[in-house]
Amino acid sequence: MTGGVVSIGRPNLTGEFGRFLRFLLQELRPKGPVLTPFNVITALIMLVSAVLLTIRFAFGIGSITNLSQEYPWGIWIGFDVITGVALAGGAYVMTFMVYILRMEKYHPIVRVTVLNGFLAYVFYAGALLLDLGRPWNVINPVIGNSFGVSSVLFLVAWHFMLYMLAQFVEFSPAVAEWLGWRRVRKVLMGMTLGAVIFGISLSILHQSGLGALYLMARTKVHPLWYSEFIPFLFVVSSVFAGLSMVIFEGSITHKVFHHRVGKVLHRTHDDIVMGLAKICAGAMLVYGFMQLLVLVHGQRWPYLSTGWGAWYLLEMLGFVAVPAVLYFIGFRRRDMKVVRVASVMALLGIVLNRLNISVIAFKWYAAVRYVPSWMEIVVTLGVLSAEIWVFRWIVNRMPVLDFDHGHQERPEQDWVPVRSVARGA
Amino acid sequence: MPTVCPRRDTSTTEWSVIKKFETSAGPVTVKRQCMHCLQPACTSACLTKAMYKTPEGPVTWRASKCMGCRYCMVSCPFDVPRFEYHSAVPKIQKCVMCFSRIEQGERPACVSNCPAEALTFGRRTELLDEARSRIYTAPDRYVHHIYGENEAGGTSWLYLSAVPFEEIGFRTDLGTTGYPMYTREFLYAVPLVLTIVPPFLLALNRATRRHEEAPETGGEG
């Protein structure tokens, strides 16, 4: 009896599996021309990065970086991790707007934003591993034999891992649609709201946690950038950092992946960008005011007349106040160009702020300053290139940009599997 | 032999160094090493408990736990931990107050070997009494401050000096709060955020729901 059931089931299963493998192999092949200038340059950067990382793991971190006893953290932490995570903040802000506040207007870009956030965490938080001197022990704070629960870094590390999981769950319906797994997709869909709520809570904590890392470096960061309010400033700035990245990436993605952009997103893209510009202007106003309060409250104005003061004013006026005003003007005049300029300037402002705290104004009194080596920069570009390649691979195959529907108007039968090979249909 | 000068600093191979400063009272030499804080920044910064404050006082480093993130170096107010940048299997190097000797009831090597008896070893309370009595009996010989009594919440190394401490390379802006206290409020906020924010978000999600919508389709992606 039972043998009969198995003999019916078996050929079907293997057939399904064979089809699934063929589908994967077919999808792994590149789409479009291979030898483009972009591909050649980024491949070269990744190749050089691989060589450099081999040297680094064979001879130590000092063999390719300019890190020193004075500067234990360089751009691999200050830019890749601390700045990268701030710029990936768009995912939690966007899921909050779409799934919690149900701002349906932004639904068409939620998938690409979550994908960008997820990949940013995988690659930039992943870059943390390159910087670890003893990466084989990275498992220690995970498996529970050594829980350093009094450490802010312990919190940040755990939240990175859990948030990556949450983001993967948020994005997973797209994978299920790509594979044509109808039932799996339904289950994953049911998990979205939970993942979103969990993800937002985690994001608030680790975005602020990255700032809280510097609370014990209080005598090392220049007083203009150090304050006990760093965690708050980091969370608030991650809102417009993330959304500015969404605007900036969106403007590039829409040109490069024009063929993948769905009808609804194509129609509403400008509206979405204008809405985001308005939100950014508001968030930057709040952030600027908080910075002003911190400056006044800490009685730090005497520092403004120094060289560091000029550098601080450049960051606060040139790359916070000016882009905030530009966002506002761009929104009022519905001028895409102005909004794009504002987004680039706001992003530069975030890069400046995070680098000032972690590298530039860190040990501002040191006799020998840290300047990254060309090899550190190449590895950073290599990580960025790898991320773009994976992003491109996914966007060209899975329903990311052509995810048009808000969840209300999307009937259950309406979703179209991109490939239905796995179902054998 | 490296020259004895203010620039000279501890390294991965020199856990303890003598620095020499030209001061208002002539040249002064100072021994610097890990201060072995009572509430160390490094142990609270360490996410694997590799940095470890022993009950006896010394702060030690445990190789099997450390993942080499160097957050201890970022946090340490005295810039003590040193990292082996040119090793594939790098270690954190710092003075461990000869912990293995202390365990056997001996004094640290530097104290045992100092011919001038400039270094004393003992219980911290007794050393503080000794320091105070020296200042009291010879008020003109010492500045009236015991460096390490309250700095960064108090340290296991205590210094007496004839010249102001800022003239001999000591940071005097560290405050008297134990460094772990600076992150305590943030860490206390974590369970609060994790318990208050999710129900708030869920409530917000439910409050913004339109009436005709079925309850199950709250989030979809």
Side-chain angles (χ1 to χ4, degrees):
Chain A
M1 276 287 277
T2 44
V5 173
V6 172
S7 67
I8 295 164
R10 191 178 282 155
N12 267 352
L13 263 181
T14 44
E16 283 287 296
F17 189 67
R19 270 193 291 272
F20 176 64
L21 269 188
R22 276 198 297 280
F23 167 67
L24 272 190
L25 284 175
Q26 181 204 332
E27 286 289 78
L28 276 174
R29 262 180 266 151
K31 294 185 172 184
V34 178
L35 280 176
T36 58
F38 173 81
N39 280 357
V40 173
I41 292 169
T42 49
L44 206 65
I45 292 174
M46 284 191 278
L47 201 69
V48 176
S49 301
V51 174
L52 291 173
L53 287 174
T54 312
I55 297 171
R56 170 249 173 279
F57 280 107
F59 301 106
I61 294 172
S63 57
I64 67 165
T65 69
N66 280 347
L67 295 178
S68 63
Q69 307 298 351
E70 287 275 329
Y71 288 90
W73 287 355
I75 58 162
W76 286 359
I77 298 291
F79 184 76
D80 297 21
V81 180
I82 293 175
T83 311
V85 166
L87 300 185
Y92 87 90
V93 180
M94 197 58 75
T95 55
F96 175 70
M97 287 158 60
V98 172
Y99 294 112
I100 305 296
L101 299 180
R102 294 169 206 260
M103 298 161 84
E104 285 305 320
K105 181 169 125 184
Y106 301 101
H107 213 113
I109 59 161
V110 78
R111 258 197 191 167
V112 67
T113 308
V114 169
L115 176 65
N116 264 317
F118 175 65
L119 292 180
Y121 273 79
V122 169
F123 282 90
Y124 303 132
L128 198 69
L129 291 177
L130 306 177
D131 197 70
L132 290 184
R134 307 165 65 86
W136 54 90
N137 277 343
V138 75
I139 201 77
N140 277 351
V142 183
I143 57 174
N145 62 339
S146 300
F147 271 6
V149 288
S150 62
S151 172
V152 177
L153 196 58
F154 179 81
L155 171 117
V156 170
W158 264 95
H159 283 201
F160 276 0
M161 289 185 293
L162 293 174
Y163 186 49
M164 277 190 237
L165 191 71
Q167 282 183 315
F168 184 74
V169 171
E170 286 167 18
F171 183 71
S172 60
V175 182
E177 282 168 33
W178 168 63
L179 294 170
W181 291 352
R182 181 188 270 264
R183 276 198 197 141
V184 175
R185 176 182 176 275
K186 205 171 175 192
V187 174
L188 294 172
M189 279 300 212
M191 293 160 71
T192 300
L193 182 63
V196 163
I197 289 177
F198 191 48
I200 295 167
S201 312
L202 291 173
S203 291
I204 292 171
L205 284 172
H206 71 245
Q207 292 284 358
S208 56
L210 284 174
L213 285 177
Y214 287 91
L215 289 177
M216 286 202 288
R218 47 191 288 280
T219 54
K220 300 181 187 178
V221 179
H222 190 281
L224 282 172
W225 285 273
Y226 175 82
S227 83
E228 57 268 52
F229 302 107
I230 284 188
F232 295 98
L233 295 170
F234 266 47
V235 177
V236 174
S237 55
S238 77
V239 172
F240 65 81
L243 294 183
S244 297
M245 199 67 193
V246 171
I247 296 172
F248 176 69
E249 265 172 351
S251 64
I252 296 174
T253 310
H254 269 72
K255 285 204 187 87
V256 179
F257 299 102
H258 197 260
H259 56 292
R260 300 287 302 177
V261 175
K263 280 198 293 287
V264 174
L265 179 53
H266 190 73
R267 198 177 60 235
T268 60
H269 181 251
D270 286 11
D271 274 346
I272 289 175
V273 170
M274 286 307 151
L276 294 178
K278 189 172 65 172
I279 297 169
C280 282
M284 293 177 90
L285 186 73
V286 173
Y287 174 71
F289 189 65
M290 282 173 80
Q291 284 282 12
L292 185 69
L293 279 182
V294 167
L295 181 79
V296 175
H297 178 79
Q299 306 192 340
R300 299 195 166 90
W301 53 84
Y303 291 105
L304 290 180
S305 56
T306 64
W308 285 106
W311 183 239
Y312 171 85
L313 286 176
L314 178 75
E315 180 195 319
M316 290 305 154
L317 298 178
F319 293 95
V320 178
V322 170
V325 171
L326 284 180
Y327 266 134
F328 187 69
I329 294 174
F331 163 72
R332 289 298 295 268
R333 296 189 193 155
R334 264 191 90 79
D335 191 332
M336 281 297 263
K337 267 197 190 125
V338 174
V339 169
R340 272 183 203 142
V341 170
S343 74
V344 172
M345 288 182 71
L347 289 174
L348 286 175
I350 290 296
V351 174
L352 259 184
N353 178 257
R354 298 307 195 263
L355 283 183
N356 274 334
I357 289 167
S358 61
V359 174
I360 299 169
F362 186 83
K363 296 265 182 83
W364 50 290
Y365 47 80
V368 182
R369 301 302 314 269
Y370 158 84
V371 178
S373 71
W374 67 266
M375 294 176 280
E376 287 174 80
I377 295 168
V378 167
V379 169
T380 295
L381 291 175
V383 172
L384 183 69
S385 306
E387 193 221 351
I388 294 173
W389 279 41
V390 173
F391 178 78
R392 182 176 61 177
W393 189 87
I394 294 174
V395 165
N396 273 332
R397 282 157 187 82
M398 299 182 194
V400 177
L401 291 168
D402 49 354
F403 167 73
D404 285 341
H405 309 270
H407 61 266
Q408 264 87 17
E409 69 260 28
R410 183 167 203 165
E412 193 55 40
Q413 305 92 310
D414 189 39
W415 66 275
V416 185
V418 175
R419 300 283 185 282
S420 47
V421 183
R423 285 192 300 138
Chain B
M1 188 86 184
T3 42
V4 180
C5 70
R7 293 239 83 89
R8 191 181 174 196
D9 212 346
T10 53
S11 67
T12 52
T13 51
E14 297 166 295
W15 291 354
S16 172
V17 293
I18 308 293
K19 296 186 179 199
K20 190 175 188 180
F21 293 88
E22 292 301 331
T23 70
S24 51
V28 174
T29 51
V30 194
K31 173 183 169 342
R32 295 306 301 266
Q33 72 297 304
C34 174
M35 299 290 284
H36 299 278
C37 304
L38 302 184
Q39 301 170 67
C42 58
T43 59
S44 90
C46 185
L47 75 167
T48 60
K49 290 188 171 172
M51 281 292 179
Y52 178 62
K53 174 84 175 167
T54 60
E56 291 85 354
V59 177
T60 59
W61 176 79
R62 303 185 286 194
S64 63
K65 294 184 182 292
C66 176
M67 59 188 228
C69 70
R70 308 188 293 287
Y71 184 38
C72 51
M73 301 167 72
V74 173
S75 305
C76 176
F78 302 102
D79 277 324
V80 163
R82 299 291 184 229
F83 181 79
E84 294 178 340
Y85 283 104
H86 291 278
S87 164
V89 190
K91 295 190 184 94
I92 292 286
Q93 299 282 7
K94 65 180 268 306
C95 161
V96 294
M97 213 199 267
C98 295
F99 182 55
S100 53
R101 288 172 64 98
I102 291 179
E103 272 182 317
Q104 291 162 17
E106 291 176 65
R107 295 181 301 167
C110 57
V111 180
S112 305
N113 292 323
C114 179
E117 293 188 353
L119 305 171
T120 324
F121 179 76
R123 293 197 65 83
R124 189 169 183 271
T125 44
E126 289 160 16
L127 293 178
L128 276 173
D129 285 345
E130 168 71 18
R132 285 198 199 98
S133 72
R134 282 196 200 178
I135 292 174
Y136 187 74
T137 48
D140 298 333
R141 261 187 78 187
Y142 300 107
V143 290
H144 296 192
H145 183 78
I146 305 165
Y147 193 94
E149 183 181 10
N150 297 313
E151 272 71 16
T155 62
S156 295
W157 273 82
L158 301 167
Y159 285 86
L160 283 180
S161 171
V163 291
F165 282 99
E166 51 266 33
E167 285 186 36
I168 48 175
F170 284 82
R171 284 200 84 142
T172 50
D173 59 348
L174 299 179
T176 56
T177 306
Y179 263 50
M181 294 299 131
Y182 293 114
T183 54
R184 194 177 64 165
E185 281 157 353
F186 176 77
L187 290 168
Y188 277 13
V190 171
L192 276 180
V193 170
L194 280 182
T195 46
I196 291 171
V197 171
F200 175 72
L201 292 176
L202 190 65
L204 211 54
N205 168 275
R206 291 294 181 252
T208 51
R209 184 166 60 196
R210 283 185 226 129
H211 286 295
E212 62 269 25
E213 198 184 332
E216 280 77 25
T217 52
E220 201 175 289

